[in-house]
mmCIF file of all heavy atoms in Angstrom:
data_model
loop_
_atom_site.group_PDB
_atom_site.id
_atom_site.type_symbol
_atom_site.label_atom_id
_atom_site.label_comp_id
_atom_site.label_asym_id
_atom_site.label_seq_id
_atom_site.Cartn_x
_atom_site.Cartn_y
_atom_site.Cartn_z
ATOM 1 N N ARG A 104 -6.154 10.456 -1.896
ATOM 2 C CA ARG A 104 -5.654 11.641 -1.196
ATOM 3 C C ARG A 104 -4.125 11.651 -1.156
ATOM 4 O O ARG A 104 -3.503 12.713 -1.261
ATOM 5 C CB ARG A 104 -6.219 11.695 0.231
ATOM 6 C CG ARG A 104 -7.665 12.223 0.268
ATOM 7 C CD ARG A 104 -8.297 12.060 1.653
ATOM 8 N NE ARG A 104 -7.452 12.549 2.707
ATOM 9 C CZ ARG A 104 -7.488 13.770 3.221
ATOM 10 N NH1 ARG A 104 -8.367 14.625 2.777
ATOM 11 N NH2 ARG A 104 -6.674 14.130 4.183
ATOM 12 N N SER A 105 -3.545 10.488 -1.045
ATOM 13 C CA SER A 105 -2.083 10.418 -1.033
ATOM 14 C C SER A 105 -1.495 10.779 -2.393
ATOM 15 O O SER A 105 -0.518 11.528 -2.483
ATOM 16 C CB SER A 105 -1.648 9.007 -0.608
ATOM 17 O OG SER A 105 -0.328 8.755 -1.030
ATOM 18 N N ILE A 106 -2.108 10.277 -3.462
ATOM 19 C CA ILE A 106 -1.594 10.560 -4.813
ATOM 20 C C ILE A 106 -1.653 12.056 -5.110
ATOM 21 O O ILE A 106 -0.694 12.637 -5.599
ATOM 22 C CB ILE A 106 -2.394 9.781 -5.874
ATOM 23 C CG1 ILE A 106 -2.116 8.280 -5.769
ATOM 24 C CG2 ILE A 106 -2.058 10.288 -7.284
ATOM 25 C CD1 ILE A 106 -3.008 7.429 -6.637
ATOM 26 N N VAL A 107 -2.778 12.681 -4.801
ATOM 27 C CA VAL A 107 -2.917 14.095 -5.143
ATOM 28 C C VAL A 107 -2.357 15.013 -4.058
ATOM 29 O O VAL A 107 -2.482 16.234 -4.152
ATOM 30 C CB VAL A 107 -4.388 14.470 -5.457
ATOM 31 C CG1 VAL A 107 -4.874 13.708 -6.665
ATOM 32 C CG2 VAL A 107 -5.288 14.247 -4.266
ATOM 33 N N GLY A 108 -1.752 14.416 -3.039
ATOM 34 C CA GLY A 108 -1.057 15.208 -2.035
ATOM 35 C C GLY A 108 -1.971 15.968 -1.079
ATOM 36 O O GLY A 108 -1.564 16.954 -0.470
ATOM 37 N N TRP A 109 -3.216 15.505 -0.954
ATOM 38 C CA TRP A 109 -4.160 16.183 -0.074
ATOM 39 C C TRP A 109 -4.144 15.611 1.337
ATOM 40 O O TRP A 109 -5.015 15.915 2.150
ATOM 41 C CB TRP A 109 -5.583 16.113 -0.652
ATOM 42 C CG TRP A 109 -5.717 16.900 -1.913
ATOM 43 C CD1 TRP A 109 -4.806 17.771 -2.432
ATOM 44 C CD2 TRP A 109 -6.808 16.902 -2.837
ATOM 45 N NE1 TRP A 109 -5.260 18.296 -3.617
ATOM 46 C CE2 TRP A 109 -6.490 17.788 -3.890
ATOM 47 C CE3 TRP A 109 -8.047 16.237 -2.885
ATOM 48 C CZ2 TRP A 109 -7.344 18.026 -4.966
ATOM 49 C CZ3 TRP A 109 -8.893 16.473 -3.947
ATOM 50 C CH2 TRP A 109 -8.552 17.354 -4.980
ATOM 51 N N ASP A 110 -3.158 14.768 1.618
ATOM 52 C CA ASP A 110 -3.082 14.171 2.951
ATOM 53 C C ASP A 110 -2.039 14.868 3.814
ATOM 54 O O ASP A 110 -1.788 14.461 4.929
ATOM 55 C CB ASP A 110 -2.771 12.674 2.841
ATOM 56 C CG ASP A 110 -1.498 12.407 2.054
ATOM 57 O OD1 ASP A 110 -0.989 13.340 1.400
ATOM 58 O OD2 ASP A 110 -1.007 11.272 2.099
ATOM 59 N N LYS A 111 -1.409 15.918 3.236
ATOM 60 C CA LYS A 111 -0.447 16.655 4.073
ATOM 61 C C LYS A 111 -0.619 18.153 3.849
ATOM 62 O O LYS A 111 -1.114 18.585 2.804
ATOM 63 C CB LYS A 111 0.991 16.223 3.795
ATOM 64 C CG LYS A 111 1.320 16.018 2.336
ATOM 65 C CD LYS A 111 2.699 15.369 2.180
ATOM 66 C CE LYS A 111 2.896 14.877 0.753
ATOM 67 N NZ LYS A 111 1.988 13.764 0.407
ATOM 68 N N ASN A 112 -0.236 18.923 4.841
ATOM 69 C CA ASN A 112 -0.454 20.360 4.773
ATOM 70 C C ASN A 112 0.706 21.080 4.110
ATOM 71 O O ASN A 112 1.855 20.706 4.270
ATOM 72 C CB ASN A 112 -0.645 20.919 6.184
ATOM 73 C CG ASN A 112 -2.014 20.566 6.727
ATOM 74 O OD1 ASN A 112 -3.035 20.974 6.172
ATOM 75 N ND2 ASN A 112 -2.055 19.787 7.786
ATOM 76 N N SER A 113 0.374 22.083 3.328
ATOM 77 C CA SER A 113 1.427 22.944 2.807
ATOM 78 C C SER A 113 0.929 24.382 2.789
ATOM 79 O O SER A 113 -0.262 24.641 2.636
ATOM 80 C CB SER A 113 1.858 22.494 1.414
ATOM 81 O OG SER A 113 0.789 21.956 0.693
ATOM 82 N N GLU A 114 1.869 25.285 2.974
ATOM 83 C CA GLU A 114 1.521 26.696 2.999
ATOM 84 C C GLU A 114 1.696 27.319 1.620
ATOM 85 O O GLU A 114 2.584 26.921 0.863
ATOM 86 C CB GLU A 114 2.402 27.435 4.008
ATOM 87 C CG GLU A 114 2.067 27.099 5.445
ATOM 88 C CD GLU A 114 2.635 28.120 6.400
ATOM 89 O OE1 GLU A 114 3.844 28.376 6.314
ATOM 90 O OE2 GLU A 114 1.860 28.680 7.210
ATOM 91 N N ALA A 115 0.846 28.273 1.319
ATOM 92 C CA ALA A 115 0.905 28.933 0.017
ATOM 93 C C ALA A 115 0.736 30.430 0.189
ATOM 94 O O ALA A 115 0.220 30.897 1.199
ATOM 95 C CB ALA A 115 -0.187 28.398 -0.894
ATOM 96 N N VAL A 116 1.211 31.179 -0.811
ATOM 97 C CA VAL A 116 0.880 32.607 -0.852
ATOM 98 C C VAL A 116 -0.014 32.839 -2.062
ATOM 99 O O VAL A 116 0.072 32.114 -3.059
ATOM 100 C CB VAL A 116 2.132 33.510 -0.991
ATOM 101 C CG1 VAL A 116 2.995 33.426 0.255
ATOM 102 C CG2 VAL A 116 2.923 33.165 -2.237
ATOM 103 N N LEU A 117 -0.885 33.833 -1.930
ATOM 104 C CA LEU A 117 -1.714 34.222 -3.063
ATOM 105 C C LEU A 117 -1.288 35.615 -3.487
ATOM 106 O O LEU A 117 -1.154 36.512 -2.643
ATOM 107 C CB LEU A 117 -3.194 34.202 -2.679
ATOM 108 C CG LEU A 117 -4.150 34.527 -3.828
ATOM 109 C CD1 LEU A 117 -5.326 33.567 -3.826
ATOM 110 C CD2 LEU A 117 -4.633 35.961 -3.767
ATOM 111 N N VAL A 118 -1.033 35.789 -4.773
ATOM 112 C CA VAL A 118 -0.567 37.087 -5.255
ATOM 113 C C VAL A 118 -1.587 37.678 -6.222
ATOM 114 O O VAL A 118 -1.896 37.075 -7.243
ATOM 115 C CB VAL A 118 0.794 36.968 -5.971
ATOM 116 C CG1 VAL A 118 1.487 38.317 -5.992
ATOM 117 C CG2 VAL A 118 1.659 35.904 -5.344
ATOM 118 N N GLY A 119 -2.090 38.859 -5.852
ATOM 119 C CA GLY A 119 -3.100 39.520 -6.677
ATOM 120 C C GLY A 119 -4.478 39.320 -6.106
ATOM 121 O O GLY A 119 -5.110 38.308 -6.336
ATOM 122 N N THR A 120 -4.972 40.323 -5.360
ATOM 123 C CA THR A 120 -6.258 40.148 -4.681
ATOM 124 C C THR A 120 -7.387 40.837 -5.433
ATOM 125 O O THR A 120 -8.200 41.553 -4.850
ATOM 126 C CB THR A 120 -6.187 40.679 -3.231
ATOM 127 O OG1 THR A 120 -5.782 42.054 -3.287
ATOM 128 C CG2 THR A 120 -5.204 39.884 -2.411
ATOM 129 N N GLY A 121 -7.419 40.625 -6.734
ATOM 130 C CA GLY A 121 -8.550 41.102 -7.531
ATOM 131 C C GLY A 121 -9.754 40.209 -7.328
ATOM 132 O O GLY A 121 -9.850 39.493 -6.325
ATOM 133 N N CYS A 122 -10.681 40.252 -8.270
ATOM 134 C CA CYS A 122 -11.906 39.452 -8.162
ATOM 135 C C CYS A 122 -11.594 37.989 -7.911
ATOM 136 O O CYS A 122 -12.032 37.395 -6.918
ATOM 137 C CB CYS A 122 -12.723 39.557 -9.453
ATOM 138 S SG CYS A 122 -13.505 41.147 -9.679
ATOM 139 N N LEU A 123 -10.815 37.419 -8.821
ATOM 140 C CA LEU A 123 -10.554 35.980 -8.733
ATOM 141 C C LEU A 123 -9.730 35.634 -7.504
ATOM 142 O O LEU A 123 -10.041 34.680 -6.790
ATOM 143 C CB LEU A 123 -9.837 35.507 -10.004
ATOM 144 C CG LEU A 123 -9.606 34.005 -10.092
ATOM 145 C CD1 LEU A 123 -10.917 33.242 -10.002
ATOM 146 C CD2 LEU A 123 -8.876 33.655 -11.371
#
Side-chain angles (χ1 to χ4, degrees):
Chain A
R104 281 171 49 93
S105 159
I106 291 172
V107 297
W109 293 350
D110 56 347
K111 42 189 167 293
N112 285 298
S113 33
E114 289 197 307
V116 293
L117 183 136
V118 201
T120 57
C122 288
L123 185 58

